[in-house]
Amino acid sequence: MLTTPAGQPATPARPVPLAGQATPRRLHFLSLAGARTVLTPGLTDVDSALADAHRQRRFLCVLGDAGLGKTFAVHHTAHTRFPRAHVPLRLGARPGPAD
């Protein structure tokens, strides 16, 4: 049995669900064939925010530290929700106003 440092029983970890289908290679920064997207809380938050922004016809800005998967979350969500309308932006590290 797992226990916490305080001696209390640990809550069993629940598996994080996967997306229904493999992610297109072009969306993943490593171009992994057959990679499945893990539906993390952050990804579902981006999905919800993008749906709200689309419904309200507004822009969406996703903020966070480097390497958290912001770009992938936006690309995956846009591809999933709007597969025919998605135009991926390819920005380099530290994009500037001209980008």
Side-chain angles (χ1 to χ4, degrees), residues 8-78:
Q8 300 294 321
T11 305
R14 293 186 300 171
V16 178
L18 296 175
Q21 52 188 279
T23 301
R25 289 179 75 161
R26 64 185 162 74
L27 294 183
H28 194 278
F29 76 101
L30 291 176
S31 297
L32 297 174
R36 299 281 303 273
T37 300
V38 178
L39 301 177
T40 63
L43 185 73
T44 55
D45 288 346
V46 169
D47 182 67
S48 176
L50 185 60
D52 287 344
H54 180 261
R55 189 171 28 261
Q56 296 175 29
R57 300 179 59 94
R58 305 224 182 247
F59 285 98
L60 173 67
C61 182
V62 179
L63 302 173
D65 291 333
L68 294 179
K70 299 174 299 293
T71 301
F72 179 79
V74 170
H75 284 187
H76 180 271
T77 300

